[in-house]
Amino acid sequence: MSQIRNFSIIAHIDHGKSTLADRLIQYTGMVEERQFRDQILDTMDLERERGITIKSNTITLPYLAQDGQEYELNLIDTPGHVDFTYEVSRALASCEGVLLLVDASQGVEAQTLANLYLAMEHNLTIIPVINKIDLPQADVEGVKEQIDHDLGLNAREAILCSAKEGIGIDAVLEAIVAKIPPPRGSVDKPLSALIFDATYDSFRGAVISCRVFDGAVQPGDIIRLMYNNAAYKVEEVGIFWLNRQPQKVLSAGMVGYIIAGIKTVSDTRIGDTITLEDRPAPQPLPGFKEVKPVVFASIYPVSADDYQTLVEALEKYKLNDAALTYQKDSSAALGQGFRCGFLGLLHLEIVQERLEREFGQSLIMTVPGVRYEFVLKNGQTLTVDNPQHYPDPIHIQTGREPFIKAAILLPERYLGAVLKLCLERRGVNSHISYPTAGRVEVTFEMPLAEVIIDFYDRLKTITQGYGSFDYDLLDYRDSHLVKLDIMVNGEKVDALSMIVHQDRARQWAVRVCERLKNEIPRQQFKIAIQGAVGGQIISRETISAFRKDVTAKCYGGDITRKRKLLEKQRAGKKRMKMVGAVMIPQAAFVAVLKTVKE
Amino acid sequence: MSNRKNSLPGLYIHIPFCKSKCLYCDFYSLTDLSLLPAWLEALQQEVLLYKDTFAPFDSLYLGGGTPSLLDGFQLAAMLDSLRRHFSFYPDTEITLEANPDDVTREKLHLWRDLGVNRLSMGVQSFAEPDLIFLGRRHTARQTEQALEWVRIAGFTNLGVDLIYGLPGQSAGDWRKNLERALEFRPEHLSCYQLTLETGTPLGARKAQGRIKPLPEEAERELFLLTSRFLEEHGYIHYEISNFARGEAYYSRNNRKYWRHVPYLGLGPAAHSFQGGKRWWNHRSLDRYCQALSDGVAPVAGRETLSAGQLHLESLYLGLRTKEGVDLNLIRPQPRGDTMLGELQEAGLIKLHHGRAALTREGFLVADRLPLWFSD
């Protein structure tokens, strides 16, 4: 056990986490040069493209240290986004130490802080690593200062490296061995292992990634998942190299996998404790939380004929993403679809993109919303995550919406613009602090609904990329919530309805109507687009009728050409949705979502 | 009209030569008249290829290009070959497209003698500036002279082609044009709204921003004016761009295109249709002649229309005509009835005797309406 080191790398997006992981893997000779590709732990195309880690991966690196001893370094990769904070916390709970990676040119960002706090909560050894020191704009001294002041860490211990250029990798490895303590625990105690991830294997079912704290587990054992209270027979245990390496046993201190005939990853919970049926641990490991979706949106197939394939795609997708929830939904405009719950907006985008990319689905996604609560006059409390279930206003006593605490770290010169943005987004109880000269940390309490739509993009824009953002869910607060309906020629487009704060209704209504006006092609009759709350119209746009579209000549040679054009238009029409007699292109729904994002 | 005439095939000959190209024209034609004998020769070969493949024709249309530039021998030889290898009904409508500057009293008599019984005159406009803008070779004076001679020569079925909607044209300008045309009491009028096609000199000028097309509202006004004015003067607006002084004067040839009646087109770039199949010839005299000298049909492409494609075309073509389309083409479509209701309410379509036909306003948006009835 003394030869094991369990660690993770925490960093802000783009600070080079995957590249550093790549180098560690290469340096320890885990992969031959010719097998190597960038971001080797990021197995999904989407991860490579976006340069983010969606599913965490784990790898065991054999390392012959300068002390002549052979070590087993378990690198537990973590997803790098606020949406996945809980997953990150479980991964960190499986470690004894972390490399805190800071970009020498960007410095400390909000996410770095958030992850650092997470690491501190778990009493982990923290090794600051300053990356990208080869860049001309690298400011190593400045970053050291931040590490000292902002993070309260010993900057002299910071390791300088350039993962891209392979500089300082040996120092990083040595520091892991020297500074991170070996795992503690006892093989003799009852099994207690923490699930920090699960992936789906089409032949074997769920593959649980876990850290064994006490005891040991081997094929043939009957394990019990303590929260789920379900028992399974272990088929295989092993550790992760680039592929799974079966082992005879996983014992205290080790990080590896268990395959136990579990059908889907939804049957496992991240953070749950695995123990043995016949000799259970006295209590589960601390920190378990049931992950609940916070962002909701409906997805519909572009063509109603594709509903069945969407059902199958979601079922398959879900095998590998326990965090996604979905249930049937239907819309007069868009037909049959699903109301989905996501961990956050990035999670939403990832699900959408993977369904489209990996499962070939063409989707229309509605404007995302949060889960609201309505206290009715009869005392009942209603939870509503779908505008279609908005209760009759006369029964509503009060509405409530989730609030978050947003933490934003930014260079001081953007403070005014950021405060303005937060106030526009109904931010309250602001707090401003100056961790170092020129840098500001702003915290606001804000409705989650105001943040899930475009907030991060806007923040990035107004701070020219220097602002960073992190949030925690706080509580539910009273809020005057109304349902905004969009009507096209008097017919409600249910898929465009949203629940909004009263003060924001008009603004949304105007923007959505304007956007629809630009996206709906002129038709044979005048089209009125209206935004309404209750019965009251609060915005209106008109699309004038198509006035002339006729070919002058239509003789022998023109007919085929014309028919082909019609066929093309007709194919385009298939991507349109009928609301009453008005054709609304799929693009209009997408555009409305974007509007909301602008 | 009898059923026989509704389904008999038509024959179209494309004469791909012009003395000069008009600036708006995107039909296939060449100005090197020295190639004419070679084309005539090839045409004879093509005639042989289609011998006995079509039922007797009841219409023959000599179009182009400029058929009126053929001399007596050329025209006689061509017609002779057609008559020898194809059968025609005795009352076959034989149309010849003529340019006013080609028309002489001698030629008119020749055409009459050769059996031409309908003339389609490429008048385009009676206003000199329009003729210059369009790149026409003739003057308004020549046109008027030619039209007088046509009547003197005894032609009782005269069609006049006009183009309107020229940049800057006012309703008054166009109305004057129509009035001038009506002085000659043509049995048939084709009034085409100017289309600035890409690939033509005018299209290029438009692309360069050197000419500005009429605004949509002005185009609408001119179209509605045309329809109203000509109907007031006793013409039937029987297709979007076509008017006739009685059903007997509907263009027999053109109606075949609009009703999926078989037709055979000979000559470069000509299209043919028979039994749900359509094919078209090379749009190149060289390749056309080459194929025929190799003994093969000069066909550049073919298509066999699916039921769905036939349906779409029937809708599109039918809705362009006064007869409209049978409601059975529309009502079984998903939302067919709803859309009929909507379009009726919008004043774009009217129902009559189990058929749906576009109103004048409907004609103006005829290109997009078929989509509403086709899924």
Side-chain angles (χ1 to χ4, degrees), chain A residues 278-308:
Chain A
D278 54 5
R279 195 186 162 214
Q283 72 263 331
L285 293 160
F288 177 80
K289 230 172 41 179
E290 193 165 6
V291 180
K292 285 196 184 124
V294 292
V295 174
F296 299 84
S298 298
I299 56 177
Y300 295 94
V302 168
S303 162
D305 307 342
D306 294 337
Y307 175 73
Q308 204 47 46

Side-chain angles (χ1 to χ4, degrees), chain A residues 514-581:
Chain A
E514 271 172 8
R515 184 51 85 106
L516 280 176
K517 181 185 174 162
N518 294 331
E519 292 294 331
I520 298 178
R522 287 199 292 164
Q523 289 168 30
Q524 283 64 44
F525 26 77
K526 201 163 78 173
I527 301 168
I529 305 167
Q530 296 166 310
V533 167
Q536 204 193 342
I537 306 296
I538 55 173
S539 69
R540 185 191 163 97
E541 292 282 348
T542 308
I543 300 173
S544 59
F546 211 101
R547 304 280 285 165
K548 182 175 175 287
D549 184 8
V550 58
T551 307
K553 287 193 183 189
C554 186
Y555 301 118
D558 307 307
I559 298 171
T560 299
R561 191 173 356 132
K562 186 66 206 173
R563 190 200 67 241
K564 286 190 173 153
L565 181 65
L566 282 168
E567 284 172 337
K568 218 170 109 192
Q569 290 171 337
R570 184 171 60 182
K573 195 182 106 180
K574 282 218 195 310
R575 296 179 76 88
M576 303 229 192
K577 296 293 175 183
M578 298 297 298
V579 173

Side-chain angles (χ1 to χ4, degrees), chain A residues 16-30:
Chain A
K17 190 174 70 163
S18 295
T19 317
L20 178 60
D22 286 353
R23 285 300 159 260
L24 296 178
I25 292 166
Q26 254 177 331
Y27 198 94
T28 53
M30 203 55 218

Side-chain angles (χ1 to χ4, degrees), chain A residues 522 524 547-555 557 560 562-563 567 569-570 573 578 580-581, chain B residues 192-193 216-217 219-220 241-242 258 278 303 305 309 313 316 320 335 364 367-368 371-372 374:
Chain A
R522 287 199 292 164
Q524 283 64 44
R547 304 280 285 165
K548 182 175 175 287
D549 184 8
V550 58
T551 307
K553 287 193 183 189
C554 186
Y555 301 118
T560 299
K562 186 66 206 173
R563 190 200 67 241
E567 284 172 337
Q569 290 171 337
R570 184 171 60 182
K573 195 182 106 180
M578 298 297 298
Chain B
Y192 298 113
Q193 196 138 42
E216 193 179 87
E217 268 316 301
E219 287 189 338
R220 280 173 55 82
S241 301
N242 289 283
W258 304 328
R278 190 176 283 123
E303 61 181 3
L305 300 179
Q309 289 175 321
E313 285 191 2
Y316 171 65
R320 290 179 62 91
R335 307 181 52 81
L364 273 165
D367 279 14
R368 19 191 68 220
L371 285 183
W372 292 94
S374 168

Side-chain angles (χ1 to χ4, degrees), chain B residues 123-251:
Chain B
V123 172
Q124 316 314 358
S125 176
F126 289 94
E128 294 297 343
D130 292 356
L131 295 171
I132 291 165
F133 176 81
L134 296 170
R136 298 293 294 179
R137 298 167 48 80
H138 53 90
T139 62
R141 180 73 211 110
Q142 275 176 305
T143 305
E144 285 170 341
Q145 183 60 260
L147 291 175
E148 275 164 32
W149 287 339
V150 165
R151 291 307 194 188
I152 294 168
F155 280 95
T156 55
N157 194 350
L158 166 67
V160 164
D161 283 8
L162 296 174
I163 295 179
Y164 70 99
L166 279 58
Q169 189 175 45
S170 71
D173 295 341
W174 170 232
R175 196 188 169 93
K176 234 176 271 165
N177 242 325
L178 283 172
E179 283 165 355
R180 294 277 289 280
L182 292 197
E183 286 169 23
F184 300 93
R185 305 269 302 137
E187 281 68 32
H188 189 276
L189 271 160
S190 294
C191 301
Y192 298 113
Q193 196 138 42
L194 176 65
T195 312
L196 301 170
E197 304 277 5
T198 46
T200 64
L202 287 187
R205 278 192 226 167
K206 175 188 164 191
Q208 294 158 5
R210 286 163 59 202
I211 47 177
K212 223 176 107 201
L214 276 189
E216 193 179 87
E217 268 316 301
E219 287 189 338
R220 280 173 55 82
E221 192 193 343
L222 293 181
F223 179 87
L224 295 173
L225 163 79
T226 312
S227 175
R228 242 180 266 123
F229 182 84
L230 290 177
E231 288 198 352
E232 277 162 24
H233 287 80
Y235 287 85
I236 304 169
H237 191 175
Y238 76 99
E239 194 260 358
I240 282 172
S241 301
N242 289 283
F243 301 82
R245 232 170 56 195
E247 289 189 10
Y249 297 115
Y250 288 1
S251 165

